[in-house]
Amino acid sequence: MSYKTPKICLACSAGGHLRELQLAVGSIPDKWDCYWLTLKTTSTKSFMKDKEHVFLTNFQPARRWTLIANCIQALFWVMVKRPRVIITTGAGVTVPTVFFAKKLLKTKIIFINSAADVTHASKTPVWIEKYADLFLVQWEEMKQIFPDSICCGVL
Protein backbone atom coordinates (compact mmCIF):
# COMPACT_ATOMS: atom_id res chain seq x y z
CA MET A 1 0.00 0.00 0.00
CA SER A 2 1.49 3.37 -0.95
CA TYR A 3 0.98 6.23 1.42
CA LYS A 4 0.74 9.92 0.77
CA THR A 5 2.32 12.41 3.10
CA PRO A 6 1.87 14.11 5.56
CA LYS A 7 2.06 11.80 8.58
CA ILE A 8 -1.27 11.93 10.45
CA CYS A 9 -1.76 11.01 14.10
CA LEU A 10 -5.26 9.78 15.00
CA ALA A 11 -5.38 10.41 18.75
CA CYS A 12 -8.12 9.43 21.19
CA SER A 13 -8.89 7.65 24.39
CA ALA A 14 -10.63 4.28 24.31
CA GLY A 15 -14.37 3.62 24.05
CA GLY A 16 -16.65 6.33 22.69
CA HIS A 17 -13.82 8.70 21.74
CA LEU A 18 -12.27 5.96 19.61
CA ARG A 19 -15.61 5.21 17.97
CA GLU A 20 -16.24 8.88 17.18
CA LEU A 21 -12.76 9.23 15.69
CA GLN A 22 -13.34 6.14 13.52
CA LEU A 23 -16.56 7.72 12.23
CA ALA A 24 -14.90 11.10 11.68
CA VAL A 25 -11.87 9.88 9.73
CA GLY A 26 -13.66 7.37 7.53
CA SER A 27 -11.24 6.14 4.86
CA ILE A 28 -8.41 8.58 5.70
CA PRO A 29 -6.28 5.79 7.25
CA ASP A 30 -6.55 3.81 3.99
CA LYS A 31 -5.32 6.71 1.88
CA TRP A 32 -2.82 8.54 4.09
CA ASP A 33 0.17 7.69 6.26
CA CYS A 34 -1.57 7.44 9.64
CA TYR A 35 -0.93 6.00 13.05
CA TRP A 36 -3.27 5.67 16.01
CA LEU A 37 -2.48 6.93 19.50
CA THR A 38 -4.70 5.66 22.30
CA LEU A 39 -4.93 3.73 25.57
CA LYS A 40 -4.20 0.02 25.84
CA THR A 41 -7.42 -1.87 26.58
CA THR A 42 -8.75 -5.22 25.45
CA SER A 43 -10.86 -3.58 22.74
CA THR A 44 -8.14 -1.20 21.50
CA LYS A 45 -5.58 -4.04 21.36
CA SER A 46 -7.99 -5.97 19.16
CA PHE A 47 -8.78 -2.96 16.92
CA MET A 48 -5.12 -1.96 16.57
CA LYS A 49 -3.68 -5.40 15.81
CA ASP A 50 -3.25 -4.63 12.10
CA LYS A 51 -2.72 -0.88 12.39
CA GLU A 52 0.30 1.28 13.13
CA HIS A 53 -0.30 2.46 16.68
CA VAL A 54 1.10 3.78 19.94
CA PHE A 55 -0.34 3.09 23.40
CA LEU A 56 0.06 5.73 26.10
CA THR A 57 -0.40 5.63 29.86
CA ASN A 58 -3.75 7.03 30.94
CA PHE A 59 -3.26 9.83 33.39
CA GLN A 60 -5.39 10.09 36.48
CA PRO A 61 -5.39 13.37 38.43
CA ALA A 62 -5.14 11.52 41.76
CA ARG A 63 -1.94 9.80 40.60
CA ARG A 64 0.50 12.48 39.43
CA TRP A 65 3.06 9.93 38.23
CA THR A 66 0.61 8.90 35.49
CA LEU A 67 0.65 12.44 34.07
CA ILE A 68 4.45 12.45 34.14
CA ALA A 69 4.56 9.06 32.40
CA ASN A 70 2.04 10.21 29.77
CA CYS A 71 4.02 13.40 29.10
CA ILE A 72 7.30 11.52 28.68
CA GLN A 73 5.64 9.03 26.32
CA ALA A 74 3.88 11.81 24.40
CA LEU A 75 7.12 13.77 23.93
CA PHE A 76 8.99 10.63 22.86
CA TRP A 77 6.39 9.61 20.26
CA VAL A 78 5.94 13.14 18.92
CA MET A 79 9.68 13.31 18.25
CA VAL A 80 9.84 9.78 16.77
CA LYS A 81 6.69 9.92 14.61
CA ARG A 82 6.79 13.67 13.83
CA PRO A 83 3.12 14.05 12.83
CA ARG A 84 2.26 16.94 10.53
CA VAL A 85 -1.45 16.67 11.47
CA ILE A 86 -3.25 15.39 14.56
CA ILE A 87 -6.93 14.57 14.36
CA THR A 88 -8.33 13.99 17.83
CA THR A 89 -11.57 13.51 19.73
CA GLY A 90 -9.81 13.65 23.11
CA ALA A 91 -9.95 12.83 25.94
CA GLY A 92 -7.28 13.87 28.42
CA VAL A 93 -4.75 11.21 27.38
CA THR A 94 -4.23 13.12 24.12
CA VAL A 95 -3.58 16.58 25.61
CA PRO A 96 0.21 16.23 26.16
CA THR A 97 0.64 14.88 22.62
CA VAL A 98 -1.27 17.83 21.17
CA PHE A 99 0.74 20.28 23.30
CA PHE A 100 4.19 18.90 22.39
CA ALA A 101 3.36 18.45 18.70
CA LYS A 102 2.00 22.00 18.38
CA LYS A 103 4.82 23.66 20.33
CA LEU A 104 7.75 21.68 18.94
CA LEU A 105 6.69 20.81 15.39
CA LYS A 106 3.94 23.34 14.62
CA THR A 107 1.66 20.36 13.90
CA LYS A 108 -1.80 21.19 12.58
CA ILE A 109 -4.46 20.16 15.11
CA ILE A 110 -8.02 19.15 14.23
CA PHE A 111 -10.19 18.64 17.31
CA ILE A 112 -13.66 17.07 17.19
CA ASN A 113 -15.62 17.66 20.37
CA SER A 114 -17.59 14.73 21.75
CA ALA A 115 -21.27 14.37 20.92
CA ALA A 116 -21.80 13.77 24.62
CA ASP A 117 -21.03 17.46 25.22
CA VAL A 118 -24.35 19.07 24.34
CA THR A 119 -24.65 22.11 26.62
CA HIS A 120 -21.39 22.26 28.59
CA ALA A 121 -17.74 21.63 27.91
CA SER A 122 -15.62 18.92 29.45
CA LYS A 123 -12.00 19.72 30.37
CA THR A 124 -10.27 18.40 27.26
CA PRO A 125 -11.81 20.76 24.67
CA VAL A 126 -11.14 23.72 26.96
CA TRP A 127 -7.45 22.71 27.16
CA ILE A 128 -7.08 21.92 23.45
CA GLU A 129 -9.07 24.83 21.99
CA LYS A 130 -6.11 27.25 22.05
CA TYR A 131 -3.94 24.79 20.06
CA ALA A 132 -6.54 23.69 17.51
CA ASP A 133 -6.32 24.91 13.92
CA LEU A 134 -9.79 23.50 13.29
CA PHE A 135 -12.19 23.02 16.20
CA LEU A 136 -15.38 21.09 15.42
CA VAL A 137 -18.44 20.69 17.63
CA GLN A 138 -21.33 18.34 17.02
CA TRP A 139 -24.09 20.51 18.49
CA GLU A 140 -25.04 24.12 17.63
CA GLU A 141 -25.42 24.82 21.37
CA MET A 142 -21.68 24.29 21.81
CA LYS A 143 -20.92 27.25 19.53
CA GLN A 144 -21.98 29.48 22.43
CA ILE A 145 -19.14 28.03 24.50
CA PHE A 146 -16.66 27.77 21.60
CA PRO A 147 -17.57 30.72 19.31
CA ASP A 148 -14.72 30.05 16.85
CA SER A 149 -15.81 26.44 16.32
CA ILE A 150 -17.59 24.94 13.34
CA CYS A 151 -20.64 22.73 13.87
CA CYS A 152 -20.16 19.56 11.82
CA GLY A 153 -23.31 17.83 13.09
CA VAL A 154 -23.48 14.59 15.02
CA LEU A 155 -21.22 11.87 13.66
Side-chain angles (χ1 to χ4, degrees), residues 31-32 61 77:
K31 299 174 182 172
W32 297 87
W77 287 114

Side-chain angles (χ1 to χ4, degrees), residues 32-59:
W32 297 87
D33 186 8
C34 296
Y35 71 98
W36 292 83
L37 181 140
T38 190
L39 301 172
K40 190 176 196 177
T41 67
T42 303
S43 62
T44 58
K45 284 192 299 187
S46 176
F47 174 71
M48 300 296 167
K49 70 180 175 217
D50 60 346
K51 295 167 182 60
E52 184 180 349
H53 66 276
V54 170
F55 290 127
L56 297 185
T57 299
N58 189 21
F59 68 82

Side-chain angles (χ1 to χ4, degrees), residues 19-149:
R19 183 64 187 135
E20 283 187 323
L21 189 55
Q22 288 174 291
L23 292 170
V25 300
S27 65
I28 289 173
D30 299 329
K31 299 174 182 172
W32 297 87
D33 186 8
C34 296
Y35 71 98
W36 292 83
L37 181 140
T38 190
L39 301 172
K40 190 176 196 177
T41 67
T42 303
S43 62
T44 58
K45 284 192 299 187
S46 176
F47 174 71
M48 300 296 167
K49 70 180 175 217
D50 60 346
K51 295 167 182 60
E52 184 180 349
H53 66 276
V54 170
F55 290 127
L56 297 185
T57 299
N58 189 21
F59 68 82
Q60 302 160 11
R63 295 181 174 157
R64 290 186 193 255
W65 70 267
T66 60
L67 175 57
I68 294 166
N70 180 279
C71 287
I72 291 167
Q73 292 170 341
L75 178 58
F76 175 80
W77 287 114
V78 162
M79 298 313 292
V80 169
K81 299 287 192 179
R82 306 187 77 75
R84 297 285 307 279
V85 177
I86 295 176
I87 304 172
T88 182
T89 52
V93 69
T94 65
V95 173
T97 299
V98 167
F99 174 79
F100 289 127
K102 188 66 173 182
K103 291 295 182 180
L104 299 175
L105 305 176
K106 308 289 187 239
T107 299
K108 298 295 183 190
I109 309 297
I110 300 170
F111 180 78
I112 305 157
N113 195 42
S114 172
D117 293 342
V118 179
T119 59
H120 71 283
S122 60
K123 291 177 185 171
T124 301
V126 172
W127 291 332
I128 289 182
E129 180 185 25
K130 63 182 148 270
Y131 303 111
D133 296 283
L134 178 61
F135 192 96
L136 303 171
V137 294
Q138 297 186 52
W139 300 100
E140 283 292 335
E141 293 87 342
M142 293 304 290
K143 287 183 64 61
Q144 295 172 12
I145 298 167
F146 301 109
D148 294 331
S149 66

